[in-house]
Amino acid sequence: MTEHNKTLGEFIINKQAEFKYSSGELSRLINSIRLAGKIVNHEVNKAGLVDILGAAGGENIQGETQQKLDVYANEVFIKTLINREIVCGIASEEEDDFISIKGGNNKNDNKYVVLMDPLDGSSNIDVNVSVGTIFSIYRRVTPSGTPVTLEDFLQPGNQQVAAGYIVYGTSTMIVYSTGHGVNGFTLNPAIGTYYLSHPNMKFPASGNIYSVNEGNYIHFPQGVKDYIKYCQSEEEDRPYTSRYIGSLVSDFHRNMIKGGIYIYPNTSKNRDGKLRLLYECNPMAFLAERAGGKASNGFKRILEIKPTELHQRVPFFCGNKEMVEKAEEFMKKAEKE
Ligand code: P6P
């Protein structure tokens, strides 16, 4: 069987064999995310047809109006993870606090915690633009058998055991890593099976796409303004191409395939930027580094940041290594001036 014909299930079994110490729980966890992704995909793909659009009337802790699909996706992932009895805790963009989960034996003895953005880019739902689910997986650090605590969730990104995203786009793909390489699987909706379509994904050696919401330009730090002007200058291999979907998963996915950088900086309005460290930046940074790219807050590696709050935000520069390093150069130069 060629690599490309391999299903996600077969891939997980093969990878499982590689992890001689793995008890198979991580594989079962990835499998539960696979199932939840199919269920959410079914609703996302028909969102325009049924009354599931529009605000659910509530607001999440970010103060953002919750789209019904946000709420639905959050419920599907939480229910699927609980029913599979694999995790001891879940944190979600849509939940104010983390959820502590007992196993089937009514004990807190499962070893993984999952942090997620169940439907990122949800403001695009009503206009039929791709959205995504982002997930991040850690081993718990507090004693097994006790309820999880905030400490289990506030781990630096370099402690992740796996991370990935599902992009609900022209096709539905799950892209994830368990630490050794990044692999992409495309869903065949006719039979509900994901097939390995993008083995060992890597950023190209160079890139010429920059993704940033230039509507915020006047509020950007000087270093970001200088980098954008650099991208737009006529020198050498520029001007670059500007592409911004307004959906992190989609912008990241395109940049990883074609080569590019995604920037969501701090601004004079939002001193820490908009993206959340735990369930957006850390998982995407985990993937970026394993695909040969880089992720920082403009100065420091994202995966080394010690979290202090569940929903904390950080400035985010992520993509081709050389593009991120050039942007960091402008950030450091501007900081000195
Ligand atoms: P803005 C979606 O809400 C999100 O978190 C990311 O997916 C996306 O890249 C960003 O915010 C878009 O934010 O302020 O440019 O609309």
Side-chain angles (χ1 to χ4, degrees), residues 136-139 141 154-162 282 286 290 301 303-304:
S136 169
I137 303 169
Y138 293 85
R139 281 187 198 81
V141 291
L154 299 186
Q155 300 183 52
N158 56 20
Q159 297 303 304
Q160 292 174 98
V161 292
N282 271 340
F286 184 82
R290 277 148 191 82
R301 185 174 170 235
L303 295 183
E304 288 173 359

Side-chain angles (χ1 to χ4, degrees), residues 6-12 30 34 174 176 185 194-195:
K6 198 174 278 184
T7 68
L8 175 54
E10 287 153 350
F11 183 88
I12 289 173
I30 300 285
R34 167 175 73 164
I174 181 166
Y176 78 95
F185 300 81
Y194 291 94
Y195 285 91

Side-chain angles (χ1 to χ4, degrees), residues 120-121 213 216 244 246-248 251 262 264 274-276 280:
D120 177 72
N213 183 344
N216 297 323
Y244 192 69
S247 172
L248 168 60
D251 281 315
Y262 170 97
Y264 206 105
K274 174 182 184 183
L275 298 189
R276 294 79 168 179
E280 288 177 329

Side-chain angles (χ1 to χ4, degrees), residues 60-62 66 74-75 78 90-99 116 279 310-311:
N60 62 21
I61 192 167
Q62 327 297 341
Q66 282 183 310
N74 188 51
E75 285 164 9
I78 290 175
I90 299 174
S92 166
E93 180 193 72
E94 301 302 335
E95 299 288 332
D96 294 355
D97 202 353
F98 62 83
I99 302 168
M116 66 178 178
Y279 40 80
L310 208 49
H311 300 286

Side-chain angles (χ1 to χ4, degrees), residues 7 12 65 84 110 182 202 217 222 230 233 238 254 278 285 300 335:
T7 68
I12 289 173
T65 302
R84 290 290 182 96
N110 292 327
V182 178
K202 293 281 182 201
Y217 182 86
Q222 190 55 45
Y230 165 84
S233 69
R238 294 182 303 290
R254 181 209 49 247
L278 291 183
K300 181 177 180 183
E335 194 182 53

